[in-house]
Amino acid sequence: MPIVNGSKTFVHLLEILSRKWSLVVVYLLIDGEKRFSELERSISGVSPKVLTQTLYTLTKYGIVEREVDTSSPIKVRYKLTKKGRELARIVEEIKEWSERWGNF
């Protein structure tokens, strides 16, 4: 069953989710919305530029929602959309699998 010829949607999704921090961001948002700085502190080794790109991509594809509170100071929060929450269930299963089989 050739995946590349059969499902462009699946392959495109894998390209998005296989980026280094995408699934980590989804996992961190499982418990609720977070500000950029909270995400940045939670991910050891991610640069602000890469985290921004990751959040942009996840927002672009409807996995994460970006909310701007225009009060002073301006606060930007990120949370999972309905699509993102469905994906989060899969991410939690991957985490459990990795803990069960994790000699990587």
Side-chain angles (χ1 to χ4, degrees), residues 10-78:
F10 181 65
V11 171
H12 186 64
L13 174 66
L14 290 179
E15 289 172 359
I16 295 164
L17 297 180
S18 66
R19 294 177 184 165
K20 188 169 184 177
W21 303 112
S22 293
L23 293 178
V24 174
V25 169
V26 170
Y27 180 76
L28 290 172
L29 293 174
I30 288 172
D31 293 331
E33 65 182 31
K34 300 227 178 351
R35 295 182 63 188
F36 183 91
S37 59
E38 292 176 283
L39 292 169
E40 187 178 26
R41 280 192 303 272
S42 297
I43 305 173
S44 177
V46 69
S47 70
K49 178 181 177 182
V50 171
L51 181 56
T52 298
Q53 291 170 338
T54 300
L55 288 165
Y56 173 81
T57 300
L58 293 173
T59 301
K60 176 181 174 184
Y61 291 104
I63 296 167
V64 169
E65 181 180 342
R66 181 178 187 263
E67 290 184 343
V68 179
D69 178 357
T70 57
S71 64
S72 184
I74 293 175
K75 296 176 184 172
V76 179
R77 293 181 183 90
Y78 296 91

